[in-house]
Structure formats: C-alpha cells, structure tokens
C-alpha cells in the first residue's frame, strides 16, 4: 500500500468521480483508475461501486476513508519535522517571562530579519515535554531539570522578594536576614501548589541551620501578598517579576540581607539536535534581559 494510492483513493471518495479526482490530483484518469485497482487488489475488497452514471464508496471503502486521512496527516507531520525552516523557532515559558521573551525576540530579529519566533505559554512540565518532543526549541524556566537528553544553560540568578506587611517588625530598616525571618511564620500556598518556592526556602533554611515554621496555607484563589494583610505577623516570598505587578499598598518589599533566597533562570534545549544561529542568538539575548535586582 502506497501513500500515493491513499491520496488518489481519498480524491475519488470525496469527489465521487474518477475524472474530477484526476483533475484535482493533476494526473490522468487512467492513472487514478490503475492505482485504485491495485489498492483494491491489495485490500481484497472493492472500495467503490461503479456504474456508468455514478461512483459510490462500498462499506469497506467508507471505513478506509478515516484511516487514509489519518495516515496522510501523519505523513504531513513527519514531513514537517524535516522541512521546518532554519529561521523558525518556538520559545516556551510562563507569563512572568513575557517581557524577557519579547525583548529577546526583538533583538534577535534585528540580527536575523528573516527569523520567525513564537513565544508559547506553557506550564513547567509542558515546557519540558515540548522541548523533548520538538514542538518548541527553547524553554525558559526557573530552576533546573536533570534529563540526559536536555542541555540547561543558566541565564541569570534571581533574588526572590521578601514581602511583609507594613506593620511587621522587619518591614523597616535594612533588609532582613534569614535568621530574622525564621522567627516568624512563612505564608505560602501549600507545597504541592508551589513546590519550587518551598524547595528554595527549605534548602536555604537547612543550609543555614534554621527551622522554618508556616502560617496558614494560601488558598489557590488568593495571593500571598494579599493574605499578609490578614496575617501581618507572617512573611512571604514572590518572584521579582511578580513583585513588579503587585500593588504595594500596605506592604513592604525586601531582599534577604545575604542573598540566600535565590533562584536560577535557565534556558533548556534538546542537546541531541544541533543548534541554529537563531537559537544560539536567542539564548544570548535572553541572558541580556536579566532584570534589575534592586527593590525599592
């Protein structure tokens, strides 16, 4: 069975005419008829009921239609893997990286006017899967990932932002240390909802020999910064990009005094696929979008 035969079969099945199918496929009617006949012999069943006035699909022919369409779609998907233009690239990340992504894309297009770069919003696990499947060529993530088929390039290190209610004892003066923060309960979503932040804080506290206590978990439809107004004895942390868009009324934003609450931002690519110039330049441009770590 050849894909060419399935293309001709679908053309006849959709047109219900050998002559119109031949015109559609830019071949002679005899060529269409010959290939359909070969396909029928291989199937062991007629696919069309023919008369001098009409052409109709048989039961087997009707059943073959959806299978043939699927096989031809798979052919197109396979061809897309090898015909993807060198100037096409898909970058994936979450919404907090939108400004970095767009700035990097603008810079790359200045170097490569022919570049076609899409920024695709996905969750962390979806980003990694997209790179491994070839759907996206670069993922912009916080943290890292350990898979032998992936190459992780650290772009910058991001200080997490400590958030306090204005009336909190640590809200004024110099930036608080972990030792000072450890005396107060931490307010965060439950661990399963924000595992990355939990890991960063738990690791920093453990390395400093400190014990971490928690306030009530933040509900999925609430924000930690808003909940601090209800629990002013607590503290929380958020990403720097989130802090920029968070209303500051009633809150104080700080960084940990010794920069022990940090998180790497990295680019992830498939190490088995040779990088294009556009991909390399995009990663370089992303690194140059590292945010200002100054907290007002």
């Amino acid at each position: 069975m050849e894909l060419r035969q399935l293309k001709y079969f679908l053309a006849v099945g959709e047109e219900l005419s050998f002559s119109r199918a031949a015109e559609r496929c830019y071949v002679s009617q005899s060529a269409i008829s010959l290939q359909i006949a070969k396909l029928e012999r291989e199937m062991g069943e007629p696919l069309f009921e023919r008369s001098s006035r009409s052409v109709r699909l048989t039961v087997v022919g009707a059943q073959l239609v959806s299978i043939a369409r699927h096989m031809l779609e798979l052919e197109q998907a396979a061809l897309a893997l090898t015909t993807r233009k060198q100037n096409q690239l898909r970058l994936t990340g979450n919404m907090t990286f939108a400004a970095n992504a767009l700035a990097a894309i603008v810079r790359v297009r200045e170097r490569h006017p022919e570049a076609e770069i899409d920024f695709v919003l996905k969750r962390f696990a979806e980003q990694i899967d997209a790179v491994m499947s070839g759907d996206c060529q670069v993922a912009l993530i916080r943290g890292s990932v350990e898979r032998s088929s992936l190459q992780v390039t650290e772009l910058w290190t991001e200080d997490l932002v400590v958030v306090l209610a204005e009336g909190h004892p640590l809200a004024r003066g110099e930036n608080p240390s972990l030792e000072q923060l450890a005396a107060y309960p931490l307010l965060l979503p439950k661990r399963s909802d924000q595992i990355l932040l939990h890991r960063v804080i738990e690791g920093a506290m453990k390395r400093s020999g400190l014990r971490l206590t928690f306030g009530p978990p933040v509900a999925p439809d609430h924000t930690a910064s808003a909940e601090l107004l209800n629990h002013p004895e607590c503290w929380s942390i958020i990403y720097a990009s989130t802090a920029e868009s968070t209303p500051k009324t009633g809150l104080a934003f700080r960084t940990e005094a010794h920069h022990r609450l940090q998180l790497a931002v990295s680019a992830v690519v498939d190490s088995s696929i040779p990088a294009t110039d556009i991909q390399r330049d995009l990663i370089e441009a992303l690194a140059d979008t590292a945010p200002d770590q100054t907290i007002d």
Side-chain angles (χ1 to χ4, degrees):
M1 184 181 297
E2 300 177 7
L3 290 174
R4 176 182 57 170
Q5 293 171 340
L6 293 178
K7 291 177 183 177
Y8 292 167
F9 162 73
L10 277 180
V12 176
E14 291 170 358
E15 299 290 344
L16 295 180
S17 165
F18 279 79
S19 60
R20 288 196 298 271
E23 292 176 3
R24 171 171 152 180
C25 296
Y26 299 100
V27 295
S28 67
Q29 184 173 335
S30 60
I32 288 270
S33 298
L34 176 63
Q35 295 301 323
I36 294 297
K38 287 183 178 180
L39 182 59
E40 288 177 321
R41 285 197 296 273
E42 188 171 350
M43 294 286 294
E45 292 278 353
L47 301 174
F48 296 101
E49 294 178 359
R50 305 163 174 86
S51 72
S52 59
R53 295 184 177 180
S54 66
V55 174
R56 293 189 301 172
L57 285 162
T58 63
V59 173
V60 173
Q63 292 173 336
L64 181 60
V65 167
S66 60
I67 297 173
R69 284 175 178 159
H70 182 59
M71 291 181 70
L72 294 176
E73 287 171 359
L74 290 176
E75 178 197 27
Q76 291 303 312
L79 290 173
L81 295 177
T82 57
T83 59
R84 177 180 289 275
K85 297 178 182 177
Q86 290 293 304
N87 63 343
Q88 293 178 330
L89 185 145
R90 282 162 61 87
L91 165 67
T92 182
N94 62 38
M95 191 61 194
T96 63
F97 289 130
N100 305 84
L102 295 179
I105 290 171
V106 168
R107 177 171 171 179
V108 172
R109 281 188 49 78
E110 289 175 351
R111 298 183 187 176
H112 305 275
E114 77 287 0
E116 298 177 16
I117 305 174
D118 293 329
F119 177 53
V120 186
L121 296 176
K122 293 180 182 291
R123 295 181 179 180
F124 179 83
E126 295 172 337
Q127 294 166 19
I128 303 306
D129 289 343
V131 171
M132 294 186 69
S133 70
D135 178 51
C136 294
Q137 287 67 56
V138 182
L140 183 57
I141 67 168
R142 286 186 174 89
S144 188
V145 59
E146 295 183 3
R147 296 192 188 181
S148 58
S149 61
L150 299 178
Q151 177 181 327
V152 180
T153 302
E154 185 173 319
L155 303 177
W156 69 81
T157 300
E158 184 178 277
D159 272 312
L160 296 172
V161 177
V162 176
V163 188
L164 303 154
E166 281 186 347
H168 194 284
L170 302 179
R172 297 183 180 181
E174 297 181 353
N175 286 328
S177 66
L178 272 185
E179 288 75 13
Q180 292 174 304
L181 291 167
Y184 301 92
L186 172 64
L187 203 63
L188 276 184
K190 61 182 181 180
R191 198 174 196 276
S192 59
D193 290 341
Q194 192 50 273
I195 189 168
L196 188 55
L197 289 181
H198 278 264
R199 283 177 176 173
V200 171
I201 301 173
E202 290 165 1
M205 289 289 188
K206 185 176 181 180
R207 287 189 295 272
S208 300
L210 300 170
R211 183 179 178 182
L212 183 63
T213 59
F214 288 93
V218 178
D221 58 348
H222 289 61
T223 64
S225 55
E227 283 300 288
L228 284 173
L229 301 179
N230 295 320
H231 302 278
E233 74 283 3
C234 297
W235 62 286
S236 189
I237 61 168
I238 57 178
Y239 299 123
S241 54
T242 303
E244 293 175 1
S245 59
T246 300
K248 296 179 172 55
T249 303
L251 301 173
F253 289 15
R254 298 287 185 269
T255 54
E256 196 277 325
H258 304 293
H259 301 283
R260 285 175 287 182
L261 294 177
Q262 292 187 326
L263 189 60
V265 175
S266 304
V268 181
V269 303
D270 187 337
S271 60
S272 68
I273 300 176
T276 64
D277 289 341
I278 292 175
Q279 186 184 67
R280 285 189 289 267
D281 286 349
L282 178 64
I283 293 173
E284 179 183 324
L286 286 168
D288 290 338
T289 68
D292 182 1
Q293 297 288 335
T294 301
I295 301 297
D296 296 329

